[in-house]
Amino acid sequence: ARVVPLGEHRLRGLDRPESLSQVGAPGDRAGFPALRTLPARPTNLPAQATTFVGRETELLRLRDLLLAPHPGPVTLTGPAGVGKSRLAIRAASDLLDRFEGGCWFADLSDVRDPGGLADAVLQALSVPGETKPVEQVGDLLRTRPPLLLVLDTFDHLAAGCRGTVRAWVECAPESRVLITSRSSTGIPGEREERLEPFPLPDGPASDAVRLFCERARESKPDFGLTAENLPDVVSICRELDGIPLAIELAASRIRILQPGAMLRKLGQKFQLLRSLRQDAAPRQQTLSGAIEWSLELLTPAERRVFEKLSVFRGGFVAGVAADVIGPEASPEVIESLRKKSLLSARDYPWGRRHLMYRLIHEYAGRLWSQSATPAERRALEIRHAEAAIRYVRSLDAAARPELHGEMLERLGAASENLSAVTERALSRLASATDDAEAIRDLEFAAAACLALVRDIGARGSAAEWHQRIREVVAALESRPTLRPRMKPDLVVALLEEEALAARAINDGHRSRIAVDAAVSAAEDSGDGRLIAKALLARVRSRTFLGDLDGALRDCLRGEELTGNAAAAALRGPFLHSRSLIFKRQGRFEESHALVRTALELAVESGDLWQTAQCAISLGSLCELLNRTDEALSWYELASRQESRQGRQVSRLHTLGHRASILSRVGRHAEAMAMLEEAEALARVLGRRRFLGNLSALRTAILRRSGKAAEALAASASAIEAIRASGDTVQLAGILWERGSILQDLGRLEEAEPQLAEARAVFEMIPHPAGVLQCRLSEAQLWVAQGRLEEARAVMRPVLDLSREIPDFMRIQCLATLASVESARGDRAAAAEAARAFLRIHEATVWQGATQVEEMEALAVKMRALVSV
């Protein structure tokens, strides 16, 4: 073959020129047509020493803007280090074949006036400057073929040079100007394209992680992602806010620091992250240099406001900034900082919040700590704390039931500020010597933490919920002499919240201690409303921990207190709580009546959360009473209420209950899918107590769907989790379930002690319906073993049972008794039990196709016994 070198050519999409050759057969002199590669267009675009990563969408948008029939300049804006210059060069390189006059790059970082701007452009175009460079550039643009001119780092020239650029644009309407700047230029006809950092990564395919790896390999060729270092690399990129310059500087240190060590040192990022490249511009060699370049655009007053804004974390509302910093933080100054890319903004349905990228925020904090006195910093922190707590109280004052989800969103947006208030208050408390200051800081920490965990408790991790509350409670416990002088409502609310959070992570011991302390603090205050509120918290805690007698005593006492007007709003929650106690005692009809009243009160007051909770309770009761259709309708109501509130925890409860009812009516595949969704959500939220309950539900679904062996395995983990929670009612239920599964499998000797233990727990509660269920299972087991007299002795008293026992349970017992008497040969006794069965059966409307079929099958057998 014949090889003819064609020299170096620039190719679309590649940063560096490539050597090309033409290969042909020997003697073939025809060759190929002239190459249509980028060198066919004149350019001075700087060759890039590193690869270009990501930004595909941004490149497409820039291409569309630059090729559109609109002569105004395109301005690429964004914060320091986001990669504006690099993106502009890449966009121009990709468009080189579209501009006959070429693509030209002018670095303006050292330019200070219009004459300097014109000189820089002439230098870029390789044209000697004359006495009137501004007019000379205009003449060149007018006479040359259409070209693309990149004006890099135009920020500091906007005020004095926007008229010059406008005149050039008018001279050459077919040419295009691409500007990079921290802020828009104000040139008429300008179209702004905002460049944001890379999205925060969650895996190896993200642009931020790809960029880190590319630059790391340039520094250390054998670097590669592994299962061990991937989490550290992702965390580094997240810590650096996805800002490309910061990621590149971090990756360049890979020769001396492994990702794990680098992550640990990122607290000193401004000292650590320095470029090792000699060709980088000064503003690109360090993080502080890149940010300081932006600060040069600020007035002294703007710079001072910028520094003070570091007191906020995670953003702020402009009005709150003015409250904290003072009138100098006017809306105009805030907007100026946003336009100069030192702030970003996010619009919510309720208004706009301004944010700082983490790196810029940390730099502002460093400047503030250097320029302010300790007294100034402390005063600013205290004003910030007061404003944050006022903001939360304003949300409470304006709260309406239908806006509950929005309130959670607003609290979530304010969460980092609330965390800052808590941390700073606890830090000051550690060194406080004055009691008045210590009380103030404890109250700041308590109020901010309670607001913070409202969102976490409804939608977040249970472990984080408990950890944050425990920190403040521990500080409260460390200063016992201060507690009587604090606002009692804060103390009581804090202890109640700890009880709830401890129960969510299955720490029943800590929950009991906290809720008892809450009641004690409320009683010390003498405030009837606070006492009722604390008692309600203890009722719920004792109910779920199985202390039903104690719960009922507290509940009745609390209901007496709701006669006071201040505590009247708690009447419905107390009725609902008493219904839950009765439900756990097997007093289903009484429970049903109470919760219906509680639901009416919740609907009347517009309390969406309480409405959803009552609907869940009614669904659960109907499920226990075998009213499956009605149960589903209540769960659907609860689901509708939850969707309006945004509470993930409420959704968790509804998913579990709906899975249970679907399984009861034979829709096992749907039930299992819903159960798995609930389990996944419970793991995300860290609700260990609820995971135990879901394990019990998994056991029941597997058993109902005929998978006894799998159900038996599931029951073991469920028993372990529920024993740890201290929930005696749930424990008795899962013990009965396991005994019944063993019975299904024919392992009767193993089943008997499980059923006996379950019955003993139900008798201790006491729970008559649970005891009956166990007796029924024991009788069926003894029949299978031929122990007919023992079975008869247990089942015979069923004819005298109280009406509290649900019909579907009574009817099962009567059917079992009739079978036992028939097996013993006592036809009269069998017929008597069968007639009692048929009387209840004929007076009852059974719900659900599965249930109707089961009851009718039993009725056929009973009619046969009566006829005999």
Side-chain angles (χ1 to χ4, degrees):
R2 184 173 61 86
V3 179
V4 179
L6 301 178
E8 288 194 338
H9 292 255
R10 290 175 64 88
L11 303 175
R12 188 197 308 273
L14 299 180
D15 290 322
R16 302 182 183 88
E18 298 289 341
S19 295
L20 299 184
S21 297
Q22 176 178 302
V23 180
D28 180 4
R29 301 297 176 186
F32 293 97
L35 296 177
R36 290 182 296 167
T37 53
L38 298 185
R41 303 289 191 212
T43 185
N44 77 328
L45 292 175
Q48 301 301 299
T50 57
T51 56
F52 187 86
V53 176
R55 302 298 196 193
E56 291 83 1
T57 301
E58 292 87 343
L59 280 170
L60 287 173
R61 284 204 298 265
L62 273 182
R63 176 186 177 86
D64 291 343
L65 287 171
L66 291 168
L67 296 180
H70 184 88
V74 174
T75 304
L76 187 59
T77 63
V82 80
K84 298 182 292 296
S85 300
R86 186 63 190 273
L87 180 62
I89 293 169
R90 178 54 182 261
S93 176
D94 285 354
L95 291 172
L96 191 54
D97 63 332
R98 301 298 297 267
F99 289 95
E100 186 182 349
C103 296
W104 307 93
F105 179 86
D107 181 357
L108 309 179
S109 54
D110 295 326
V111 174
R112 291 294 177 266
D113 54 49
L117 170 62
D119 287 338
V121 172
L122 290 172
Q123 184 179 351
L125 294 169
S126 301
V127 174
E130 297 177 357
T131 56
K132 296 182 178 180
V134 172
E135 290 83 351
Q136 185 181 0
V137 170
D139 291 340
L140 284 171
L141 293 175
R142 188 182 296 109
T143 56
R144 284 197 174 190
L147 58 81
L148 171 61
L149 178 61
V150 179
L151 301 179
D152 189 43
T153 62
F154 189 78
D155 319 56
H156 54 297
L157 297 172
C161 297
R162 61 171 63 98
T164 300
V165 175
R166 179 186 182 185
W168 291 346
V169 168
E170 291 173 348
C171 287
E174 297 302 317
S175 293
R176 295 290 180 266
V177 176
L178 175 58
I179 297 171
T180 70
S181 173
R182 304 292 201 282
S183 59
S184 58
T185 65
I187 298 171
E190 172 188 41
R191 288 161 298 169
E192 181 181 356
E193 175 67 16
R194 177 81 181 174
L195 186 61
E196 300 291 351
F198 286 134
L200 295 182
D202 54 10
S206 65
D207 287 339
V209 172
R210 288 172 52 216
L211 178 64
F212 183 96
C213 294
E214 289 280 347
R215 299 299 179 264
R217 280 191 285 270
E218 288 163 7
S219 178
K220 186 180 180 185
D222 62 347
F223 175 79
L225 276 182
T226 65
E228 290 72 27
N229 67 24
L230 175 60
D232 291 331
V233 171
V234 169
S235 296
I236 289 168
C237 295
R238 294 181 72 88
E239 178 71 20
L240 297 175
D241 273 332
I243 293 178
L245 174 61
I247 293 170
E248 290 185 329
L249 294 176
S252 70
R253 316 297 293 184
I254 204 70
R255 278 185 293 183
I256 55 177
L257 285 174
Q258 290 300 310
M262 188 184 299
L263 182 61
R264 290 190 291 273
K265 287 182 175 290
L266 279 185
Q268 298 87 41
K269 57 177 70 68
F270 292 106
Q271 295 79 22
L272 173 70
L273 302 184
R274 297 173 177 273
S275 176
L276 302 178
R277 290 171 46 202
Q278 300 302 310
D279 61 335
R283 70 179 188 278
Q284 296 173 333
Q285 290 181 348
T286 65
L287 283 179
S288 54
I291 297 172
E292 195 61 45
W293 174 265
S294 297
L295 300 187
E296 291 181 9
L297 304 176
L298 303 184
T299 66
E302 287 175 338
R303 187 177 179 112
R304 188 70 171 171
V305 170
F306 169 73
E307 293 176 4
K308 289 183 177 181
L309 285 173
S310 63
V311 75
F312 292 98
R313 283 195 207 162
F316 58 89
V317 176
V320 176
D323 289 344
V324 174
I325 294 173
E328 63 266 34
S330 64
E332 293 76 19
V333 169
I334 298 298
E335 182 61 15
S336 176
L337 292 173
R338 187 195 69 80
K339 286 183 175 179
K340 292 171 182 176
S341 294
L342 291 166
L343 295 175
S344 61
R346 181 176 176 186
D347 290 322
Y348 292 85
W350 60 86
R352 169 170 285 195
R353 284 182 65 83
H354 289 84
L355 305 99
M356 274 188 188
Y357 294 113
R358 190 177 310 176
L359 296 177
I360 295 175
H361 179 270
E362 288 186 27
Y363 194 74
R366 290 178 69 201
L367 295 178
W368 172 241
S369 66
Q370 292 165 6
S371 65
T373 66
E376 286 175 321
R377 293 197 295 272
R378 184 183 183 89
L380 186 65
E381 288 178 0
I382 289 170
R383 292 200 301 274
H384 173 257
E386 291 169 342
I389 291 166
R390 278 198 306 273
Y391 177 73
V392 170
R393 288 175 180 161
S394 73
L395 295 182
D396 289 337
R400 299 198 306 275
E402 67 272 16
L403 297 179
H404 184 83
E406 178 183 303
M407 188 181 71
L408 289 180
E409 291 290 342
R410 295 177 76 161
L411 285 173
S415 63
E416 290 188 54
N417 279 302
L418 294 169
S419 292
V421 171
T422 306
E423 292 165 17
R424 291 167 184 160
L426 293 178
S427 176
R428 290 193 300 268
L429 180 69
S431 57
T433 56
D434 180 81
D435 280 0
E437 290 184 358
I439 289 170
R440 180 201 62 199
D441 285 330
L442 262 176
E443 290 182 345
F444 277 163
C449 188
L450 285 167
L452 175 66
V453 300
R454 203 182 311 173
D455 180 51
I456 298 172
R459 305 187 299 185
S461 158
E464 182 187 0
W465 179 18
H466 184 255
Q467 178 189 352
R468 288 183 180 273
I469 283 290
R470 181 92 278 276
E471 287 172 353
V472 182
V473 173
L476 181 68
E477 292 169 346
S478 71
R479 299 287 189 103
T481 59
L482 299 183
R483 197 179 89 173
R485 296 162 58 187
M486 291 177 62
K487 295 175 182 175
D489 57 330
L490 278 178
V491 174
V492 171
L494 193 66
L495 294 167
E496 288 173 357
E497 198 72 32
E498 188 191 16
L500 283 171
R503 196 169 76 230
I505 62 169
N506 239 13
D507 189 344
H509 175 69
R510 186 69 239 173
S511 180
R512 278 190 291 269
I513 291 173
V515 79
D516 286 343
V519 172
S520 176
E523 289 176 335
D524 289 344
S525 76
D527 184 328
R529 183 191 64 83
L530 270 186
I531 296 170
K533 188 169 172 288
L535 283 170
L536 182 62
R538 190 161 72 178
V539 167
R540 290 168 173 167
S541 178
R542 284 178 164 175
T543 300
F544 286 105
L545 293 172
D547 180 9
L548 300 185
D549 289 340
L552 189 54
R553 285 194 302 272
D554 280 346
C555 196
L556 294 173
R557 183 184 168 201
E559 285 181 50
E560 290 177 9
L561 291 170
T562 60
N564 184 321
L570 297 175
R571 181 168 176 261
F574 269 114
L575 291 175
H576 183 210
S577 295
R578 185 148 59 99
S579 82
L580 293 176
I581 297 168
F582 286 173
K583 172 188 163 188
R584 285 181 160 237
Q585 290 177 329
R587 298 161 65 178
F588 300 139
E589 295 296 344
E590 290 177 81
S591 176
H592 190 272
L594 283 171
V595 78
R596 285 302 296 257
T597 304
L599 176 66
E600 290 169 7
L601 291 171
V603 171
E604 182 181 331
S605 66
D607 189 332
L608 298 183
W609 182 79
Q610 190 66 19
T611 299
Q613 297 307 297
C614 290
I616 289 172
S617 292
L618 281 166
S620 178
L621 280 166
C622 289
E623 187 177 344
L624 290 169
L625 294 166
N626 251 24
R627 303 174 190 169
T628 53
D629 292 344
E630 188 180 345
L632 271 174
S633 68
W634 287 119
Y635 291 149
E636 286 165 5
L637 171 62
S639 183
R640 288 195 298 274
Q641 299 302 318
E642 289 152 16
S643 65
R644 298 173 64 191
Q645 299 175 73
R647 285 179 178 269
Q648 292 284 58
V649 175
S650 297
R651 179 167 168 264
L652 183 59
H653 283 267
T654 305
L655 283 170
H657 285 297
R658 291 178 72 187
S660 175
I661 202 71
L662 287 171
S663 175
R664 282 182 182 273
V665 297
R667 295 159 63 179
H668 304 303
E670 293 174 70
M672 188 57 75
M674 195 165 285
L675 170 69
E676 288 170 354
E677 184 181 350
E679 288 174 331
L681 181 57
R683 282 191 287 271
V684 167
L685 299 177
R687 295 308 198 267
R688 292 203 292 269
R689 182 184 70 82
F690 205 77
L691 277 169
N693 296 345
L694 291 175
S695 294
L697 177 55
R698 175 176 285 273
T699 302
I701 293 173
L702 288 169
R703 182 189 174 209
R704 290 170 192 156
S705 57
K707 300 176 181 178
E710 292 178 53
L712 188 65
S715 70
S717 60
I719 289 172
E720 181 181 358
I722 293 170
R723 279 192 197 279
S725 75
D727 188 333
T728 52
V729 177
Q730 285 281 357
L731 177 62
I734 189 61
L735 287 170
W736 170 81
E737 192 83 52
R738 182 173 175 84
S740 300
I741 295 166
L742 289 166
Q743 196 171 352
D744 294 342
L745 292 169
R747 295 160 62 176
L748 304 185
E749 291 183 1
E750 295 174 70
E752 190 167 358
Q754 293 283 341
L755 294 173
E757 184 181 358
R759 175 168 46 81
V761 177
F762 276 130
E763 286 172 340
M764 177 188 69
I765 291 171
H767 191 302
V771 172
L772 179 60
Q773 187 71 62
C774 292
R775 284 296 192 191
L776 176 61
S777 295
E778 286 175 317
Q780 291 167 344
L781 183 148
W782 293 335
V783 168
Q785 291 177 324
R787 296 156 60 184
L788 299 179
E789 294 304 323
E790 291 176 76
R792 181 176 184 274
V794 168
M795 298 311 301
R796 190 67 197 169
V798 123
L799 294 176
D800 303 317
L801 284 174
S802 140
R803 296 300 302 175
E804 247 332 289
I805 301 302
D807 285 342
F808 81 94
M809 294 185 66
R810 179 196 296 273
I811 208 168
Q812 287 177 305
C813 292
L814 287 166
T816 301
L817 177 61
S819 299
V820 169
E821 297 290 17
S822 177
R824 289 180 63 251
D826 190 336
R827 295 181 178 179
E832 181 185 10
R835 277 191 291 271
F837 172 100
L838 291 170
R839 280 195 299 273
I840 298 172
H841 173 67
E842 288 163 4
T844 303
V845 178
W846 302 106
Q847 296 180 12
T850 304
Q851 188 179 1
V852 170
E853 290 172 7
E854 289 175 355
M855 290 301 119
E856 191 52 45
L858 280 176
V860 169
K861 293 180 181 178
M862 295 302 105
R863 290 188 190 102
L865 288 175
V866 170
S867 64
V868 171

